[in-house]
Amino acid sequence: RTITLEKDTATALPLDGKIGEIFISNPEIADVQNHGPSTAYLYGKRQGTTTVFLQKKAGGSEPISVVVTHPFT
């Protein structure tokens, strides 16, 4: 799964309530903030690619590629 967003924009990441931890491999590219059991927010900080890992409470993780692009203005 891949999520693409422009620099300085954010998007909601729906969660199923079974996520124990959220980790982002390069916080200089994007930021992620958990907002309760059903939603996290991704924010594009700088152009590049990183990975968000959703660590499930029951074990295992779901990696999500995050691509941050430069806005076209």
Side-chain angles (χ1 to χ4, degrees):
R1 175 175 171 193
T2 300
I3 296 175
T4 301
L5 65 156
E6 290 184 356
K7 178 182 176 262
D8 296 326
T9 65
T11 189
L13 178 62
L15 306 174
D16 63 6
K18 299 177 183 174
I19 303 299
E21 223 175 284
I22 300 174
F23 172 79
I24 191 152
S25 63
N26 189 339
E28 292 182 10
I29 302 290
D31 189 20
V32 62
Q33 293 184 7
N34 194 356
H35 189 69
S38 61
T39 307
Y41 294 100
L42 288 173
Y43 175 74
K45 294 168 72 175
R46 139 178 148 187
Q47 188 174 356
T49 303
T50 188
T51 304
V52 172
F53 292 91
L54 304 177
Q55 183 68 40
K56 298 180 181 187
K57 291 179 183 177
S61 65
E62 177 186 349
I64 300 172
S65 293
V66 178
V67 179
V68 179
T69 62
H70 188 72
F72 298 103
T73 55

